[in-house]
Amino acid sequence: MKYKTKILITGLIFVIGSMLFVSVAQAVDIGTFDFRKGLVPCGLGPATDPGFKACTVCDFFKLLQNLINFMLYMAAPLATLMALYVGALFMFSGGSPAKITEAKDKLWLLIIGLLWVLGSWLIIA
């Protein structure tokens, strides 16, 4: 593959990856989880504050749900970055069968990891 073609494909992968990252960030912004409130839904501020809410058992389950949502929202951008890395491994393998096999193995690990995260979310949610 020519050098200019490799640069063009790398640029396209970077642009598409950036667009995916921005779209995930927007989805998180309009999603059900509000990062500004934090993961812990109770016990914020001193006990003398009128807006203070003591923690209950229900808040523990809300905390678990917040942690699951946070991990799910973080899986998409991390998977995008990993896909960009695997794409770069494919492109810069130089036709070496060992490097191509390594890149394919990492791609399968990425796919299995995504299925694992989404499957666990489906079971828990």
Side-chain angles (χ1 to χ4, degrees):
M1 195 180 300
K2 291 183 178 180
Y3 180 74
K4 289 183 181 181
T5 308
K6 286 184 180 181
I7 296 296
L8 178 65
I9 292 173
T10 305
L12 286 174
I13 289 173
F14 177 74
V15 168
I16 291 170
S18 299
M19 289 168 36
L20 285 173
F21 195 78
V22 168
S23 66
V24 168
Q26 288 175 349
V28 168
D29 190 38
I30 61 173
T32 59
F33 181 69
D34 189 6
F35 286 103
R36 293 168 291 210
K37 291 182 182 176
L39 293 174
V40 182
C42 63
L44 303 173
T48 57
D49 184 17
F52 177 76
K53 179 184 173 206
C55 293
T56 62
V57 175
C58 294
D59 291 323
F60 174 71
F61 291 109
K62 180 64 179 165
L63 170 66
L64 290 179
Q65 185 64 43
N66 286 345
L67 286 172
I68 292 167
N69 287 342
F70 178 74
M71 287 186 277
L72 184 66
Y73 287 140
M74 294 311 295
L78 292 176
T80 302
L81 291 175
M82 184 64 184
L84 289 171
Y85 172 69
V86 169
L89 284 179
F90 269 117
M91 284 183 30
F92 298 116
S93 66
S96 170
K99 289 184 180 180
I100 291 174
T101 304
E102 178 187 353
K104 285 181 182 179
D105 291 342
K106 289 184 181 183
L107 180 63
W108 278 112
L109 286 175
L110 172 66
I111 292 169
I112 291 169
L114 276 176
L115 291 176
W116 185 268
V117 167
L118 294 175
S120 64
W121 172 77
L122 184 63
I123 290 170
I124 293 174

